[in-house]
């Protein structure tokens, strides 16, 4: 996080580390035009001049419930949706609501079935040690790619597990849990009477940064967390939690206690987008193809710059990152990160994404790194050139 701040202040830094969405020209034009209209209609000022209720803007909550019901046939209403100031705070609320020290003195954890997993969960426990995570199975694919799968044979659930949680598509890897994996996790969660939290920050139906088919999933034992951020609106800080009524009520109460009410501007813009049928249209026709093309371009640059057969890329199935694996790399990616930082390129070393592991040492976790591919073409080319030079130097 320090690098994100420092990098922003360092002119010329190539920021391939952070999770800011791309500045997609069509989306920026759309937001300018939409907010201009909303300003002249008075909607925007009304959003700024009033508190919403603690559950979040009710017109948006109702509009979204109707949209999801219509699109997917889910049995939901406005009683199943609450808003937060960014989905990051939703995870903080949920993890601390469900895990950590319990009234009976026991300590519960969130089970992450597939590490590497989103770094933003790592420090979100009020108490320490609230995660248990499992190493994946690695499938080697053609074209120097690979894919992680949940290793169900390892997963153990007892009374100490409060919930199962996974991001789909996954930050950092771009992995998309298969439908079969999600059904199995759902079954496991129900069997043990615990919720399944699915982090849909990049998923369908919006922002829909998903490049493979995956059936959208929700039932009343699922807590589906969404966000307006990767639609291109991280600054409005709007997270969306779709859950059963009990969880929705609990989150509403937490919102009231912590912040009175979630912010109103994001939901007002999003409601406008639902009413004008732009939310799903732009996700499908602008956002998804933009990222898919950027991802393919970055892969092609990387593969021609680093022809070494020990270098593989996780199959890009969604999200805004590429996960690079340098097998047998003689240095850790933490060291590689330092060398790249000295040359003005910021990436995130893989080690950080393996929190909650019981076995401490897994060489693979020190051989991977996350880079985003959202920067402009020139920065991507320059950043990849420097990464390639440092990797080739390290191998030799
Ligand atoms: C997987 C995942 N979940 C949640 C978040 C939190 O996003 P926000 O708080 O902007 O909604 C992010 C942000 O990058 C993310 O990558």
């Amino acid at each position: 996080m320090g690098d994100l701040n420092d990098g922003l202040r360092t002119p010329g830094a190539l920021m391939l580390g952070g999770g800011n969405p791309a500045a997609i020209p069509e989306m920026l034009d759309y937001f300018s035009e939409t907010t201009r209209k909303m300003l002249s209609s008075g909607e925007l000022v009304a959003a700024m001049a009033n508190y919403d209720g603690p559950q979040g803007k009710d017109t948006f909550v109702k509009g979204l419930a109707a949209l999801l019901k219509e699109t997917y046939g889910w049995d939901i209403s406005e009683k199943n949706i609450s808003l937060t100031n960014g989905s990051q705070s939703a995870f903080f609320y949920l993890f601390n609501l469900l895990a950590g020290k319990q009234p009976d003195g026991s300590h519960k954890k969130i089970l992450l079935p597939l590490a590497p997993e989103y770094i933003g969960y790592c420090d979100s426990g009020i108490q320490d040690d609230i995660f248990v995570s499992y190493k994946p199975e690695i499938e080697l694919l053609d074209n120097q790619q690979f894919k992680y799968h949940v290793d169900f044979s390892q997963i153990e659930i007892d009374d100490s597990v409060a919930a199962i949680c996974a991001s789909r598509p996954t930050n950092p890897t771009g992995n998309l849990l298969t439908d079969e994996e999600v059904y199995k996790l759902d079954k496991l969660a129900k069997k043990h009477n615990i919720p399944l939290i699915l982090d849909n920050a990049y998923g369908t139906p919006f922002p829909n940064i998903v490049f493979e088919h995956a059936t959208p999933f929700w039932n009343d034992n699922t807590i589906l967390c969404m966000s307006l951020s990767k639609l291109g609106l991280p600054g409005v800080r709007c997270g969306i939690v779709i859950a059963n009524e009990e969880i929705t009520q609990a989150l509403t109460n937490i919102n009231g206690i912590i912040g009175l009410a979630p912010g109103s501007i994001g939901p007002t813009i999003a409601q406008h987008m639902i009413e004008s049928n732009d939310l799903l249209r732009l996700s499908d026709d602008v956002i998804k193809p933009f990222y898919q093309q950027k991802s393919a371009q970055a892969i092609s640059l990387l593969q021609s710059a680093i022809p070494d057969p020990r270098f593989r890329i996780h199959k890009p199935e969604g999200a805004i990152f590429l996960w690079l694996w340098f097998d047998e790399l003689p240095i850790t990616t933490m060291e590689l990160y330092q060398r790249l930082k000295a040359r003005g390129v910021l990436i995130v070393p893989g080690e950080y994404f393996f929190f909650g592991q019981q076995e401490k040492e897994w060489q693979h976790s020190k051989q991977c790194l996350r880079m985003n591919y959202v920067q402009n073409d020139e920065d991507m080319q320059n950043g990849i050139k420097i990464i390639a030079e440092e990797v080739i130097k390290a191998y030799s």
Side-chain angles (χ1 to χ4, degrees):
M1 295 310 271
D3 278 351
L4 291 182
N5 265 325
D6 298 346
L8 290 173
R9 279 190 230 111
T10 311
L14 297 169
M15 301 284 285
L16 308 189
N20 206 71
I24 305 178
E26 286 103 309
M27 292 307 293
L28 296 178
D29 288 348
Y30 177 84
F31 293 133
S32 303
E33 185 54 30
T34 302
T35 46
R36 205 172 298 133
K37 279 189 208 152
M38 291 167 64
L39 190 62
S40 50
S41 71
E43 265 177 287
L44 203 57
V45 173
M48 293 191 285
N50 292 288
Y51 285 117
D52 287 327
Q55 189 180 341
K57 182 162 289 302
D58 62 339
T59 46
F60 175 58
V61 164
K62 283 184 186 144
L64 183 61
L67 179 76
L68 293 172
K69 194 170 185 158
E70 193 183 299
T71 312
Y72 298 134
W74 292 346
D75 181 19
I76 64 167
S77 74
E78 64 273 19
K79 292 190 182 144
N80 299 104
I81 301 183
S82 55
L83 307 183
T84 54
N85 290 322
S87 63
Q88 185 69 25
S89 30
F91 290 104
F92 177 79
Y93 297 167
L94 286 166
F95 294 157
N96 290 295
L97 182 68
L98 300 167
K101 193 162 184 219
Q102 304 296 301
D104 66 2
S106 64
H107 179 86
K108 288 196 187 267
K109 296 191 185 188
I110 304 293
L111 186 151
L112 309 173
L114 195 166
E117 187 48 280
Y118 174 45
I119 196 171
Y121 303 152
C122 178
D123 291 324
S124 60
I126 291 173
Q127 272 127 17
D128 287 338
D129 194 26
I130 66 154
F131 294 104
V132 54
S133 71
Y134 291 90
K135 283 193 315 204
E137 284 175 345
I138 300 176
E139 181 191 4
L140 299 183
L141 303 171
D142 291 343
N143 194 20
Q144 291 301 111
Q145 294 191 2
F146 70 104
K147 176 172 165 63
Y148 290 140
H149 294 278
V150 177
D151 182 356
F152 284 93
S153 69
Q154 285 189 77
I155 292 181
E156 284 172 20
I157 302 188
D158 58 21
D159 287 350
S160 69
V161 175
I164 301 175
C165 175
S167 55
R168 187 191 198 225
T170 306
N171 173 357
T173 57
N175 186 37
L176 192 67
L177 291 181
T178 62
D179 287 349
E180 199 193 338
E181 284 171 321
V182 173
Y183 299 147
K184 276 189 172 174
L185 291 173
D186 174 56
K187 233 172 138 177
L188 265 179
K190 282 185 178 145
K191 182 172 160 202
H192 294 276
N193 206 17
I194 53 176
L196 171 63
I197 304 173
L198 287 177
D199 181 347
N200 203 29
Y202 303 88
T204 49
F206 62 87
N208 202 18
I209 310 174
V210 176
F211 313 143
E212 298 284 321
H213 174 76
T215 308
F217 188 87
W218 186 81
N219 59 43
D220 74 354
N221 194 51
T222 314
I223 305 177
L224 186 68
C225 298
M226 301 192 63
S227 171
L228 298 187
S229 295
K230 313 300 168 177
L231 201 62
L233 295 173
V236 302
R237 309 305 301 125
C238 178
I240 301 158
V241 184
I242 304 162
N244 63 35
E245 292 184 23
E246 192 187 359
I247 294 283
T248 304
Q249 189 58 56
L251 293 178
T252 300
N253 295 349
I254 297 177
N255 267 341
I257 295 161
I258 293 186
L260 290 185
S264 312
I265 293 181
T268 304
I269 298 172
Q271 176 56 15
H272 196 96
M273 294 176 80
I274 290 179
E275 281 165 9
S276 48
N277 290 324
D278 289 332
L279 186 61
L280 307 196
R281 179 183 66 77
L282 290 168
S283 299
D284 294 347
D285 299 349
V286 176
I287 296 174
K288 182 213 226 18
F290 176 91
Y291 284 107
Q292 196 159 17
Q293 187 267 335
K294 291 286 281 184
S295 155
Q297 205 176 6
I299 289 178
S300 145
L301 284 172
L302 279 160
Q303 289 187 330
S304 41
I306 313 175
D308 194 298
R310 291 165 292 185
F311 166 52
R312 287 180 178 269
I313 302 176
H314 192 286
K315 186 179 178 205
E317 300 181 306
I320 63 176
F321 307 101
L322 291 177
W323 181 249
L324 316 185
W325 175 20
F326 304 103
D327 198 11
E328 297 172 20
L329 193 69
I331 58 169
T332 62
T333 43
M334 194 70 94
E335 171 63 24
L336 179 63
Y337 151 78
Q338 294 293 354
R339 295 182 188 182
L340 289 170
K341 189 174 168 182
R343 297 191 60 189
V345 178
L346 293 172
I347 50 91
V348 187
E351 281 97 313
Y352 288 120
F353 301 90
F354 289 86
F355 52 96
Q357 297 271 283
Q358 287 119 313
E359 296 161 43
K360 285 293 167 232
E361 283 294 310
W362 188 32
Q363 226 26 48
H364 179 80
S365 69
K366 299 182 167 50
Q367 298 171 340
C368 298
L369 65 83
R370 185 191 84 176
M371 59 170 270
N372 71 46
Y373 53 77
V374 303
Q375 306 302 337
N376 65 50
D377 292 353
E378 196 189 342
D379 284 0
M380 290 308 304
Q381 277 162 10
N382 292 338
I384 287 171
K385 182 169 166 283
I386 294 171
I387 293 173
E389 285 168 7
E390 289 300 327
V391 166
I392 290 165
K393 199 157 85 188
Y395 269 136
S396 59

